[in-house]
Amino acid sequence: RIMNHDEGRSGKGFFESEIHLTAEEERLLRAFRQFHTMKSPEAAACGMNRSEIRVLMQIHSYMQKHPDEEGMPVSTLSENSHMMKAAISRSLKELERQGCILRIQDPDDRRYTLALLTQPGKEKITQILEQTQRMFDLIVERLPVEEIDKIVDGLNKLYQAVSDSMAQMNSENSETSEK
């Protein structure tokens, strides 16, 4: 078993050393961590981190939907990406350093900055999409349709359980803070 970066010699992460998990809870936590520590195939293929890929794909998607616009407003990127502004800023800086994007001031309103894809950025998008397609092709080759159905059903149930649990915790927290 590979230890996570937050695990000590005991093989337990900092959460497990502070809380008492049931066997089922520990299995869920380990399953979550397996995916968290896995490097995405597109990141491995193109040498970018997940944030950079996410920002690049957001710009690509925006430009596909708005072909008449010169670039994507960085403010729109911040609103739509569900990422912290500092992470977006770092990603834009790195993507610009790699030559994948250009940041230019909006010619109509100099207060706004636009991000646009360069030819190397478009080539990275193609590479990312090809690697993503290849990954899913390989997964589907390894799993029968019935197994994929079970996995999708299980993930949907897990998503709903996590979503409901978070809503309940938010409700409990707001009730506590009102007292």
Side-chain angles (χ1 to χ4, degrees), residues 19-136:
I19 60 175
H20 303 285
L21 299 174
T22 66
E24 293 81 19
E25 292 166 338
E26 193 167 326
R27 286 177 51 215
L28 273 173
L29 184 60
R30 283 196 179 128
F32 281 131
R33 285 188 175 159
Q34 284 181 153
F35 285 98
H36 180 71
T37 59
M38 184 182 291
K39 188 168 186 169
S40 69
E42 57 274 8
C46 69
M48 295 178 161
N49 67 39
R50 289 176 199 242
S51 295
E52 292 159 4
I53 291 170
R54 190 170 176 183
V55 168
L56 195 65
M57 293 304 294
Q58 286 269 329
I59 297 168
H60 170 70
S61 177
Y62 182 89
M63 296 312 299
Q64 295 285 92
K65 293 175 188 168
H66 305 90
D68 296 336
E69 294 188 27
E70 190 174 350
M72 179 180 190
V74 172
S75 59
T76 302
L77 180 62
S78 296
E79 294 163 7
N80 296 342
S81 69
H82 306 288
M83 293 172 60
M84 296 180 75
K85 288 184 180 188
I88 292 170
S89 181
R90 278 190 306 273
S91 295
L92 287 171
K93 185 177 181 180
E94 180 58 23
L95 289 169
E96 192 169 35
R97 189 192 69 73
Q98 292 178 22
C100 294
I101 65 160
L102 289 175
R103 285 189 282 184
I104 57 170
Q105 286 185 331
D106 185 325
D108 298 325
D109 188 341
R110 299 184 65 127
R111 293 174 297 168
Y112 296 104
T113 301
L114 299 173
L116 60 128
L117 293 173
T118 61
Q119 189 57 41
K122 292 174 184 176
E123 291 167 9
K124 286 281 188 184
I125 293 287
T126 300
Q127 189 179 16
I128 290 165
L129 295 173
E130 287 172 353
Q131 288 299 309
T132 302
Q133 181 67 55
R134 179 71 178 135
M135 175 59 106
F136 279 99

Side-chain angles (χ1 to χ4, degrees), residues 167-178:
Q168 180 178 342
M169 291 173 64
N170 287 336
S171 175
E172 293 168 356
N173 288 338
S174 62
E175 289 172 10
T176 303
S177 64
E178 290 174 3

